[in-house]
């Protein structure tokens, strides 16, 4: 849905999402774009919304954890997360899913090294990294299996 905002263009995107639009699935973590909890997609790119000024989002499409399952990749990633019981406390996981979805959209068959490179900025204090990696591989396989012509 289009959103019109007439306030401070320097305000971080995360503030608009959580405080004005009540899209609270995106989390505030470090506030310095260092932990990845606030990751959303700006057009198709994963970005840290806690440091992204609204002016940079003007005219662009923003996808949050609330909407990412409306894409085949986002849906496959979320289903993989549930299937493999990835979350522990869960706080970081919306950001993890957004980064994983952006990775799989660009690279449908990532190696472990690709995953490490793409997900390295998403911190999990519960150390669910092994399950995250397994879920990304699981989602990638699910998407490959669903391709037409197989
Ligand atoms: Fe607790 Fe990642 S599941 S911080």
């Amino acid at each position: 849905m289009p959103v019109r905002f007439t306030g401070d263009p320097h305000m971080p995107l995360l503030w608009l999402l959580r405080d004005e639009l009540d899209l609270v699935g995106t989390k505030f973590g470090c506030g310095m774009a260092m932990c990845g909890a606030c990751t959303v997609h700006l057009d198709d790119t994963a970005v840290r919304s806690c440091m992204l000024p609204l002016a940079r989002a003007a005219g662009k499409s923003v996808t949050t954890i609330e909407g990412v399952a409306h894409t085949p990749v986002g849906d496959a990633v979320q289903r993989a997360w549930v299937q493999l019981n990835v979350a522990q406390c869960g706080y970081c996981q919306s950001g993890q899913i957004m980064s994983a979805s952006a990775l799989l959209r660009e690279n449908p068959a990532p190696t472990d090294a690709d995953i490490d490179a793409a997900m390295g900025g998403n911190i999990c204090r519960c150390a669910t990294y092994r399950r995250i990696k397994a879920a990304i591989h699981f989602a990638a396989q699910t998407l490959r299996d669903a391709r037409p012509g197989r």
Side-chain angles (χ1 to χ4, degrees):
M1 69 178 175
V3 173
R4 183 173 174 78
F5 179 75
T6 56
D8 182 356
H10 302 294
M11 185 172 91
L13 173 60
L14 181 61
W15 275 225
L16 177 70
L17 295 174
R18 290 185 56 86
D19 297 343
E20 307 287 334
L21 303 177
D22 204 28
L23 294 169
V24 295
T26 306
K27 302 303 184 196
F28 177 86
C30 64
M32 298 186 298
M34 304 273 293
C35 77
C38 67
T39 304
V40 300
H41 296 172
L42 188 65
D43 288 335
D44 285 338
T45 304
V47 297
R48 308 294 192 236
S49 63
C50 74
M51 292 281 287
L52 190 94
L54 279 167
R56 289 206 23 225
K60 298 193 172 163
S61 171
V62 175
T63 305
T64 67
I65 189 66
E66 287 86 353
V68 74
H70 294 149
T71 67
V73 171
D75 181 58
V77 170
Q78 284 199 350
R79 287 178 188 278
W81 248 244
V82 172
Q83 181 81 21
L84 299 189
N85 275 325
V86 171
Q88 190 158 318
C89 83
Y91 196 83
C92 72
Q93 297 294 337
S94 57
Q96 304 281 2
I97 287 171
M98 297 309 288
S99 290
S101 300
L103 166 63
L104 288 181
R105 194 165 35 238
E106 278 190 12
N107 180 354
T111 64
D112 281 353
D114 295 334
I115 293 171
D116 289 343
M119 302 297 294
N122 284 78
I123 307 301
C124 176
R125 64 189 172 190
C126 302
T128 62
Y129 301 111
R130 290 179 65 180
R131 293 201 298 275
I132 287 170
K133 189 174 286 179
I136 292 172
H137 284 302
F138 187 94
Q141 187 63 54
T142 300
L143 288 161
R144 287 195 297 274
D145 290 347
R147 272 199 311 238
R150 286 188 53 92

